Amino acid sequence: MNGGFFLNFLSLSPSTSPAELAQLLGTDYGKIKRLYYRGDRQRHYLAFDIPKKNGGKRRILAPSDKLKTLQSRLASLLKKIYKPREPVKAFLDGGSIVSNAYPHCRKPYVFNIDLENFFGTITFARIRGMLISKPYSLTPETATVIAHLATINGILPQGAPSSPILSNMLCASLDRDLYSLAKRNRAVYTRYADDITLSFYCPAEFLPPGVVEYSISNGKPNHYYSRTGQELQSLVRQHGFTINFDKVRLQGPGERRTVTGLVTNQKPNVPRPYIRKTAALIHSLEKNGVEAANAIYKQKNPNSSGVLESHLQGRLLFIKQVVGESSVVYRRLAQRYNMLPIRSKVPNAPIATTEDSDNFKVGEFIKTKCWVTEISERIEDNLVQIQGTAFMIQGGLIVTCEHNLSYQTKERRHEYDECLVYRVGEDEGVYEAQVIIRNKYLDLAVLKIKNAPDDLEHFTLEVTKEPNIGDRVAVLGFPNHKTGFHVGILKCRITNKYPLHDVQHSEVDKTLYAGNSGGAVINSSYHVVGVAAKGAEGNPNGKNTFIRVSELIGYLQKSGFDM
């Protein structure tokens, strides 16, 4: 089937025949008829249940690959002839629960109702009749084929790619009448699938009784025991739907008002319990480790088929969708998540504002990712000791400056392919490391620990946005290191960017001391943006610079590492 090409140029029209429809879908009419006339239609669907928030289950019918392809192409054709009204927010390009919640922000009263068994009440006959009627005016034969392709057991299946657009098309007259009802009563109306919301500016005593009926408590309106008004009930019934009265609620001043799960008191926002739950799950991974945290998660969520890592990633991406990547709440959670010893990450590019970069904090959690390299060897009757800073990145790789692994005498330059590495403050954490690649020109070297433990934490390399002049960064290292010291943290500002010996460097406004070289330079998202180079301490012609992370990433990729 190769109908994707035709969908770009052709669309359904009142003259489209079943054979022409089949051609638009990249198949022939005989094959379509065999799909719904031969054998049990159920064989083309996989049925499974997913848990609902109220403890019940929702039945999903996922079509087979062939049928799914046809339904996806059918959905593309239907989208070309459907013109959604402004209140419709679901199943549209650019539509989301955020755009659905936004019109109801700062409204004193928010009224929510839910349509019961939404997809189950959209039947074969209703779809066929809708397509035959204006404004679509398809032939009865073509409308019948579409209704057959889109339904199973006479109803619209939840899980088919054609179901969302058909549900919106069928609700067009409902949307028109509810919009008119809202306008007459100075209300705002939106619909997100089966979730209908009306919001009001007026005080409770002026709420339209035909839309919402509130109770009286001590002679005053009480919105906690509200019901759907008769005019609204009648209108919904006229369009073939039923209100789920268990989900009817009127939210008023002095309480958290939500629309499709988002708080709308000021602007669309994620409820605080959701944020706290997300933070608690991240804390579980931080405290217990990946394996133990997953076991706890499985115990508390026996019906979940996923792992905690994926569940958390989904929660964070949802928060980002609602509040934006620049939100302090999202950035804080994303930073903690990205620093976990797991493969998946979430977007968290550094903010370009001075205020953010001035105030970012570097906590104790970074010390487990910072290492010391140490070489001790007798050369020409002299005991040579070389110490440098290094840091760990993904893949168990340790990055440092190449000059930390070499020593220059009058006769020649000594290069070392092995050294000791350890983290400050760990009494029994000294390891042997092997140099796997080095580049004197770039002044970069990469090592691998022999027989390394599996739980070593690592930094993430910044691949989205390197810092510019004026941005704040922190240089991590061990200047003039002595055992027992903490990781040195030097916060500074970038003052210049230029190639130094054809290697891209950024200059900072603080002096880099002996022992800093090879250390990670991080941004406000705690991502590595560079490797500290030789500083200007004791050298009037020296530069306080770091090698930009793009040089490191390019070198790793050229050396065969997948970054």
Side-chain angles (χ1 to χ4, degrees), residues 140 251 334 349 444 455 463 473:
Q251 305 163 93
L444 291 174
D455 58 348
V463 296
V473 294

Side-chain angles (χ1 to χ4, degrees), residues 302-550:
N303 294 326
S304 175
S305 59
V307 295
L308 178 55
E309 174 184 337
S310 300
H311 176 68
L312 251 179
Q313 186 182 35
R315 293 179 75 96
L316 287 167
L317 292 177
F318 169 71
I319 295 171
K320 172 181 172 290
Q321 177 194 4
V322 176
V323 301
E325 191 173 343
S326 62
S327 163
V328 174
V329 172
Y330 169 75
R331 283 170 56 75
R332 188 181 299 121
L333 293 172
Q335 287 164 2
R336 290 174 59 188
Y337 177 82
N338 285 343
M339 279 185 272
L340 292 168
I342 54 181
R343 293 184 62 86
S344 63
K345 302 297 174 186
V346 295
N348 193 25
I351 297 295
T353 62
T354 304
E355 290 79 6
D356 177 81
S357 54
D358 279 345
N359 295 321
F360 81 89
K361 297 179 180 180
V362 181
E364 281 293 301
F365 54 82
I366 52 92
K367 72 178 184 180
T368 56
K369 305 172 184 66
C370 295
W371 293 73
V372 176
T373 63
E374 187 172 285
I375 296 172
S376 181
E377 186 170 314
R378 186 168 293 278
I379 300 177
E380 300 174 0
D381 296 327
N382 293 318
L383 180 62
V384 176
Q385 288 186 307
I386 309 171
Q387 282 186 339
T389 301
F391 59 94
M392 181 160 284
I393 62 173
Q394 66 188 64
L397 304 178
I398 291 182
V399 176
T400 189
C401 281
E402 194 277 339
H403 74 261
N404 289 336
L405 304 171
S406 63
Y407 181 74
Q408 183 70 50
T409 62
K410 291 181 180 180
E411 287 74 21
R412 66 185 182 91
R413 187 175 191 267
H414 301 262
E415 294 182 355
Y416 301 96
D417 293 327
E418 293 183 345
C419 68
L420 298 179
V421 294
Y422 55 90
R423 291 176 287 193
V424 172
E426 292 192 4
D427 297 331
E428 299 181 357
V430 180
Y431 304 93
E432 291 183 1
Q434 180 80 34
V435 177
I436 53 177
I437 54 173
R438 67 194 305 158
N439 190 309
K440 177 184 175 182
Y441 178 73
L442 294 173
D443 196 17
L444 291 174
V446 179
L447 305 93
K448 189 85 171 181
I449 295 177
K450 299 178 182 179
N451 302 316
D454 295 329
D455 58 348
L456 295 177
E457 298 186 36
H458 65 267
F459 282 111
T460 298
L461 300 181
E462 179 59 62
V463 296
T464 304
K465 180 183 178 183
E466 289 192 80
N468 291 315
I469 295 172
D471 290 349
R472 287 275 188 176
V473 294
V475 181
L476 309 178
F478 304 96
N480 303 313
H481 166 64
K482 294 181 181 178
T483 304
F485 277 33
H486 294 293
V487 177
I489 301 168
L490 182 66
K491 293 186 180 180
C492 45
R493 191 185 299 275
I494 296 176
T495 58
N496 206 351
K497 295 169 68 176
Y498 49 78
L500 192 61
H501 307 300
D502 294 327
V503 179
Q504 296 299 321
H505 281 242
S506 292
E507 189 171 3
V508 296
D509 61 354
K510 298 287 177 66
T511 302
L512 301 184
Y513 294 92
N516 271 127
S517 54
V521 182
I522 61 172
N523 60 19
S524 58
S525 295
Y526 309 106
H527 293 175
V528 173
V529 295
V531 183
K534 289 181 178 179
E537 180 198 17
N539 181 2
N541 298 317
K543 300 287 186 180
N544 296 300
T545 68
F546 62 84
I547 305 161
R548 280 149 63 175
V549 72
S550 54

Side-chain angles (χ1 to χ4, degrees), residues 223-293:
H223 67 276
Y224 291 107
Y225 301 99
S226 303
R227 298 188 301 255
T228 308
Q230 289 301 315
E231 185 178 2
L232 178 56
Q233 284 189 49
S234 176
L235 193 153
V236 171
R237 282 198 301 268
Q238 287 173 20
H239 290 279
F241 294 101
T242 304
I243 295 173
N244 184 347
F245 294 105
D246 292 335
K247 293 186 178 182
V248 172
R249 58 191 175 127
L250 176 64
Q251 305 163 93
E255 65 178 326
R256 185 182 68 194
R257 301 183 291 281
T258 61
V259 175
T260 45
L262 301 182
V263 179
T264 59
N265 291 43
Q266 297 296 324
K267 61 181 180 179
N269 210 342
V270 181
R272 289 182 182 177
Y274 192 92
I275 298 292
R276 288 195 291 266
K277 176 67 173 177
T278 304
L281 292 173
I282 293 175
H283 177 71
S284 177
L285 280 166
E286 292 171 334
K287 179 182 177 182
N288 303 306
V290 177
E291 187 175 343

Side-chain angles (χ1 to χ4, degrees), residues 168-207:
N168 273 347
M169 293 172 72
L170 192 76
C171 287
S173 57
L174 172 68
D175 293 325
R176 180 195 62 225
D177 289 348
L178 285 178
Y179 177 75
S180 298
L181 176 67
K183 194 171 182 179
R184 289 197 306 271
N185 292 282
R186 297 183 179 181
V188 176
Y189 160 68
T190 63
R191 180 180 62 82
Y192 192 88
D194 59 347
D195 198 318
I196 291 173
T197 305
L198 296 108
S199 58
F200 308 87
Y201 282 109
C202 61
E205 56 266 27
F206 295 106
L207 291 173

Side-chain angles (χ1 to χ4, degrees), residues 75-121:
S76 298
L77 288 172
L78 295 173
K79 286 177 182 178
K80 290 186 176 183
I81 62 174
Y82 168 64
K83 296 180 179 179
R85 295 180 178 272
E86 177 62 27
V88 181
K89 303 299 180 182
F91 313 134
L92 300 175
D93 294 337
S96 67
I97 60 172
V98 179
S99 62
N100 184 59
Y102 188 81
H104 305 287
C105 289
R106 298 178 180 269
K107 305 297 190 300
Y109 288 94
V110 175
F111 188 49
N112 300 105
I113 66 173
D114 188 84
L115 301 180
E116 191 167 17
N117 191 23
F118 179 60
F119 285 100
T121 56

